[in-house]
PDB file of all heavy atoms in Angstrom:
ATOM      1  N   SER X 657     -76.684 -13.274   5.868  1.00 93.00           N
ATOM      2  CA  SER X 657     -77.863 -13.681   6.869  1.00 93.00           C
ATOM      3  C   SER X 657     -79.093 -13.453   6.067  1.00 93.00           C
ATOM      4  O   SER X 657     -79.395 -12.545   5.309  1.00 93.00           O
ATOM      5  CB  SER X 657     -77.820 -12.496   7.921  1.00 93.00           C
ATOM      6  OG  SER X 657     -76.579 -12.569   8.665  1.00 93.00           O
ATOM      7  N   SER X 658     -80.043 -14.433   6.313  1.00 94.00           N
ATOM      8  CA  SER X 658     -81.349 -14.518   5.752  1.00 94.00           C
ATOM      9  C   SER X 658     -82.289 -13.615   6.436  1.00 94.00           C
ATOM     10  O   SER X 658     -82.225 -13.364   7.590  1.00 94.00           O
ATOM     11  CB  SER X 658     -81.855 -15.942   5.541  1.00 94.00           C
ATOM     12  OG  SER X 658     -82.195 -16.306   6.905  1.00 94.00           O
ATOM     13  N   GLY X 659     -83.173 -12.975   5.601  1.00 94.00           N
ATOM     14  CA  GLY X 659     -84.282 -12.120   6.105  1.00 94.00           C
ATOM     15  C   GLY X 659     -85.609 -12.675   5.672  1.00 94.00           C
ATOM     16  O   GLY X 659     -85.678 -13.686   5.149  1.00 94.00           O
ATOM     17  N   ASP X 660     -86.593 -11.805   5.938  1.00 95.00           N
ATOM     18  CA  ASP X 660     -87.935 -12.279   5.553  1.00 95.00           C
ATOM     19  C   ASP X 660     -88.184 -12.187   4.064  1.00 95.00           C
ATOM     20  O   ASP X 660     -87.700 -11.144   3.409  1.00 95.00           O
ATOM     21  CB  ASP X 660     -88.960 -11.424   6.362  1.00 95.00           C
ATOM     22  CG  ASP X 660     -89.008 -11.644   7.794  1.00 95.00           C
ATOM     23  OD1 ASP X 660     -88.581 -12.834   8.200  1.00 95.00           O
ATOM     24  OD2 ASP X 660     -89.328 -10.659   8.546  1.00 95.00           O
ATOM     25  N   PRO X 661     -88.588 -13.170   3.382  1.00 95.00           N
ATOM     26  CA  PRO X 661     -88.914 -13.018   1.979  1.00 95.00           C
ATOM     27  C   PRO X 661     -89.908 -11.920   1.602  1.00 95.00           C
ATOM     28  O   PRO X 661     -90.698 -11.506   2.490  1.00 95.00           O
ATOM     29  CB  PRO X 661     -89.509 -14.408   1.565  1.00 95.00           C
ATOM     30  CG  PRO X 661     -89.868 -15.041   2.824  1.00 95.00           C
ATOM     31  CD  PRO X 661     -89.216 -14.434   4.021  1.00 95.00           C
ATOM     32  N   VAL X 662     -89.822 -11.365   0.414  1.00 95.00           N
ATOM     33  CA  VAL X 662     -90.696 -10.350  -0.034  1.00 95.00           C
ATOM     34  C   VAL X 662     -91.503 -10.798  -1.321  1.00 95.00           C
ATOM     35  O   VAL X 662     -90.990 -11.606  -2.039  1.00 95.00           O
ATOM     36  CB  VAL X 662     -89.913  -9.104  -0.378  1.00 95.00           C
ATOM     37  CG1 VAL X 662     -89.375  -8.436   0.954  1.00 95.00           C
ATOM     38  CG2 VAL X 662     -88.803  -9.160  -1.403  1.00 95.00           C
ATOM     39  N   GLU X 663     -92.554 -10.202  -1.522  1.00 93.00           N
ATOM     40  CA  GLU X 663     -93.368 -10.440  -2.713  1.00 93.00           C
ATOM     41  C   GLU X 663     -93.076  -9.192  -3.631  1.00 93.00           C
ATOM     42  O   GLU X 663     -93.203  -8.106  -3.160  1.00 93.00           O
ATOM     43  CB  GLU X 663     -94.872 -10.543  -2.444  1.00 93.00           C
ATOM     44  CG  GLU X 663     -95.249 -11.802  -1.609  1.00 93.00           C
ATOM     45  CD  GLU X 663     -95.036 -13.100  -2.469  1.00 93.00           C
ATOM     46  OE1 GLU X 663     -95.322 -13.046  -3.678  1.00 93.00           O
ATOM     47  OE2 GLU X 663     -94.533 -14.032  -1.873  1.00 93.00           O
ATOM     48  N   VAL X 664     -92.769  -9.518  -4.887  1.00 92.00           N
ATOM     49  CA  VAL X 664     -92.555  -8.361  -5.841  1.00 92.00           C
ATOM     50  C   VAL X 664     -93.483  -8.717  -6.977  1.00 92.00           C
ATOM     51  O   VAL X 664     -93.179  -9.550  -7.914  1.00 92.00           O
ATOM     52  CB  VAL X 664     -91.035  -8.487  -6.300  1.00 92.00           C
ATOM     53  CG1 VAL X 664     -90.846  -7.325  -7.398  1.00 92.00           C
ATOM     54  CG2 VAL X 664     -90.084  -8.269  -5.127  1.00 92.00           C
ATOM     55  N   ARG X 674     -91.866 -14.306  -5.604  1.00 92.00           N
ATOM     56  CA  ARG X 674     -91.375 -14.400  -4.255  1.00 92.00           C
ATOM     57  C   ARG X 674     -89.824 -14.380  -4.344  1.00 92.00           C
ATOM     58  O   ARG X 674     -89.259 -15.042  -5.171  1.00 92.00           O
ATOM     59  CB  ARG X 674     -91.735 -15.722  -3.794  1.00 92.00           C
ATOM     60  CG  ARG X 674     -91.292 -15.979  -2.224  1.00 92.00           C
ATOM     61  CD  ARG X 674     -91.638 -17.360  -1.780  1.00 92.00           C
ATOM     62  NE  ARG X 674     -91.347 -17.632  -0.395  1.00 92.00           N
ATOM     63  CZ  ARG X 674     -90.071 -17.848   0.018  1.00 92.00           C
ATOM     64  NH1 ARG X 674     -89.138 -18.010  -0.738  1.00 92.00           N
ATOM     65  NH2 ARG X 674     -89.839 -18.010   1.417  1.00 92.00           N
ATOM     66  N   TRP X 675     -89.247 -13.456  -3.564  1.00 95.00           N
ATOM     67  CA  TRP X 675     -87.787 -13.324  -3.458  1.00 95.00           C
ATOM     68  C   TRP X 675     -87.263 -13.435  -2.044  1.00 95.00           C
ATOM     69  O   TRP X 675     -87.858 -12.751  -1.151  1.00 95.00           O
ATOM     70  CB  TRP X 675     -87.528 -11.883  -3.980  1.00 95.00           C
ATOM     71  CG  TRP X 675     -87.828 -11.744  -5.422  1.00 95.00           C
ATOM     72  CD1 TRP X 675     -88.999 -11.582  -5.972  1.00 95.00           C
ATOM     73  CD2 TRP X 675     -86.885 -11.605  -6.508  1.00 95.00           C
ATOM     74  NE1 TRP X 675     -88.832 -11.404  -7.393  1.00 95.00           N
ATOM     75  CE2 TRP X 675     -87.535 -11.458  -7.723  1.00 95.00           C
ATOM     76  CE3 TRP X 675     -85.432 -11.789  -6.536  1.00 95.00           C
ATOM     77  CZ2 TRP X 675     -86.875 -11.432  -8.991  1.00 95.00           C
ATOM     78  CZ3 TRP X 675     -84.862 -11.744  -7.790  1.00 95.00           C
ATOM     79  CH2 TRP X 675     -85.605 -11.524  -9.055  1.00 95.00           C
ATOM     80  N   ASP X 676     -86.298 -14.251  -1.814  1.00 95.00           N
ATOM     81  CA  ASP X 676     -85.660 -14.348  -0.536  1.00 95.00           C
ATOM     82  C   ASP X 676     -84.653 -13.196  -0.280  1.00 95.00           C
ATOM     83  O   ASP X 676     -84.068 -12.786  -1.322  1.00 95.00           O
ATOM     84  CB  ASP X 676     -84.926 -15.715  -0.443  1.00 95.00           C
ATOM     85  CG  ASP X 676     -85.870 -16.899  -0.473  1.00 95.00           C
ATOM     86  OD1 ASP X 676     -86.955 -16.855   0.109  1.00 95.00           O
ATOM     87  OD2 ASP X 676     -85.398 -17.885  -1.015  1.00 95.00           O
ATOM     88  N   VAL X 677     -84.638 -12.785   0.876  1.00 96.00           N
ATOM     89  CA  VAL X 677     -83.718 -11.531   1.146  1.00 96.00           C
ATOM     90  C   VAL X 677     -82.472 -11.967   1.945  1.00 96.00           C
ATOM     91  O   VAL X 677     -82.678 -12.840   2.812  1.00 96.00           O
ATOM     92  CB  VAL X 677     -84.580 -10.416   1.929  1.00 96.00           C
ATOM     93  CG1 VAL X 677     -83.605  -9.284   2.172  1.00 96.00           C
ATOM     94  CG2 VAL X 677     -85.736  -9.968   1.252  1.00 96.00           C
ATOM     95  N   TRP X 678     -81.454 -11.500   1.512  1.00 96.00           N
ATOM     96  CA  TRP X 678     -80.146 -11.881   2.270  1.00 96.00           C
ATOM     97  C   TRP X 678     -79.272 -10.630   2.382  1.00 96.00           C
ATOM     98  O   TRP X 678     -79.390  -9.670   1.562  1.00 96.00           O
ATOM     99  CB  TRP X 678     -79.201 -12.838   1.430  1.00 96.00           C
ATOM    100  CG  TRP X 678     -79.973 -14.102   1.138  1.00 96.00           C
ATOM    101  CD1 TRP X 678     -80.877 -14.504   0.165  1.00 96.00           C
ATOM    102  CD2 TRP X 678     -79.824 -15.314   1.857  1.00 96.00           C
ATOM    103  NE1 TRP X 678     -81.201 -15.769   0.298  1.00 96.00           N
ATOM    104  CE2 TRP X 678     -80.702 -16.328   1.335  1.00 96.00           C
ATOM    105  CE3 TRP X 678     -79.090 -15.545   3.028  1.00 96.00           C
ATOM    106  CZ2 TRP X 678     -80.719 -17.529   1.919  1.00 96.00           C
ATOM    107  CZ3 TRP X 678     -79.192 -16.866   3.496  1.00 96.00           C
ATOM    108  CH2 TRP X 678     -80.056 -17.893   2.936  1.00 96.00           C
ATOM    109  N   THR X 679     -78.497 -10.534   3.523  1.00 94.00           N
ATOM    110  CA  THR X 679     -77.682  -9.384   3.707  1.00 94.00           C
ATOM    111  C   THR X 679     -76.360  -9.883   4.303  1.00 94.00           C
ATOM    112  O   THR X 679     -76.182 -10.877   4.718  1.00 94.00           O
ATOM    113  CB  THR X 679     -78.367  -8.412   4.841  1.00 94.00           C
ATOM    114  OG1 THR X 679     -78.540  -9.095   6.094  1.00 94.00           O
ATOM    115  CG2 THR X 679     -79.693  -7.816   4.393  1.00 94.00           C
ATOM    116  N   THR X 685     -77.202  -6.033   0.147  1.00 96.00           N
ATOM    117  CA  THR X 685     -78.459  -6.748   0.175  1.00 96.00           C
ATOM    118  C   THR X 685     -78.566  -7.531  -0.981  1.00 96.00           C
ATOM    119  O   THR X 685     -78.213  -7.096  -2.126  1.00 96.00           O
ATOM    120  CB  THR X 685     -79.595  -5.714   0.328  1.00 96.00           C
ATOM    121  OG1 THR X 685     -79.315  -4.811   1.585  1.00 96.00           O
ATOM    122  CG2 THR X 685     -80.966  -6.479   0.536  1.00 96.00           C
ATOM    123  N   ALA X 686     -79.279  -8.610  -0.972  1.00 96.00           N
ATOM    124  CA  ALA X 686     -79.437  -9.526  -2.163  1.00 96.00           C
ATOM    125  C   ALA X 686     -80.896 -10.056  -2.168  1.00 96.00           C
ATOM    126  O   ALA X 686     -81.473 -10.396  -1.122  1.00 96.00           O
ATOM    127  CB  ALA X 686     -78.454 -10.645  -2.167  1.00 96.00           C
ATOM    128  N   LEU X 687     -81.558 -10.079  -3.359  1.00 96.00           N
ATOM    129  CA  LEU X 687     -82.814 -10.630  -3.492  1.00 96.00           C
ATOM    130  C   LEU X 687     -82.635 -11.896  -4.451  1.00 96.00           C
ATOM    131  O   LEU X 687     -81.987 -11.823  -5.409  1.00 96.00           O
ATOM    132  CB  LEU X 687     -83.845  -9.718  -4.099  1.00 96.00           C
ATOM    133  CG  LEU X 687     -84.011  -8.333  -3.433  1.00 96.00           C
ATOM    134  CD1 LEU X 687     -85.097  -7.502  -4.289  1.00 96.00           C
ATOM    135  CD2 LEU X 687     -84.489  -8.547  -2.044  1.00 96.00           C
ATOM    136  N   VAL X 688     -83.151 -13.041  -3.993  1.00 96.00           N
ATOM    137  CA  VAL X 688     -82.905 -14.279  -4.704  1.00 96.00           C
ATOM    138  C   VAL X 688     -84.446 -14.967  -5.192  1.00 96.00           C
ATOM    139  O   VAL X 688     -85.157 -15.034  -4.288  1.00 96.00           O
ATOM    140  CB  VAL X 688     -82.031 -15.269  -3.988  1.00 96.00           C
ATOM    141  CG1 VAL X 688     -81.783 -16.547  -4.811  1.00 96.00           C
ATOM    142  CG2 VAL X 688     -80.614 -14.625  -3.708  1.00 96.00           C
ATOM    143  N   GLN X 704     -82.824  -1.792  -0.089  1.00 95.00           N
ATOM    144  CA  GLN X 704     -83.685  -2.843  -0.477  1.00 95.00           C
ATOM    145  C   GLN X 704     -84.831  -2.419  -1.287  1.00 95.00           C
ATOM    146  O   GLN X 704     -85.185  -3.149  -2.237  1.00 95.00           O
ATOM    147  CB  GLN X 704     -84.082  -3.746   0.891  1.00 95.00           C
ATOM    148  CG  GLN X 704     -84.932  -4.892   0.435  1.00 95.00           C
ATOM    149  CD  GLN X 704     -85.314  -5.779   1.626  1.00 95.00           C
ATOM    150  OE1 GLN X 704     -84.738  -5.736   2.598  1.00 95.00           O
ATOM    151  NE2 GLN X 704     -86.465  -6.356   1.555  1.00 95.00           N
ATOM    152  N   GLU X 708     -85.929  -4.132  -4.959  1.00 95.00           N
ATOM    153  CA  GLU X 708     -87.311  -4.577  -5.232  1.00 95.00           C
ATOM    154  C   GLU X 708     -87.723  -3.981  -6.405  1.00 95.00           C
ATOM    155  O   GLU X 708     -88.423  -4.560  -7.235  1.00 95.00           O
ATOM    156  CB  GLU X 708     -88.165  -4.438  -4.104  1.00 95.00           C
ATOM    157  CG  GLU X 708     -87.770  -5.311  -2.833  1.00 95.00           C
ATOM    158  CD  GLU X 708     -88.574  -5.130  -1.648  1.00 95.00           C
ATOM    159  OE1 GLU X 708     -89.779  -4.647  -1.710  1.00 95.00           O
ATOM    160  OE2 GLU X 708     -88.227  -5.435  -0.505  1.00 95.00           O
TER     161      GLU X 708
END
Side-chain angles (χ1 to χ4, degrees):
S657 302
S658 65
D660 293 331
V662 295
E663 292 293 321
V664 180
R674 183 182 186 277
W675 293 76
D676 295 324
V677 178
W678 298 86
T679 58
T685 301
L687 306 177
V688 179
Q704 181 176 330
E708 290 178 23

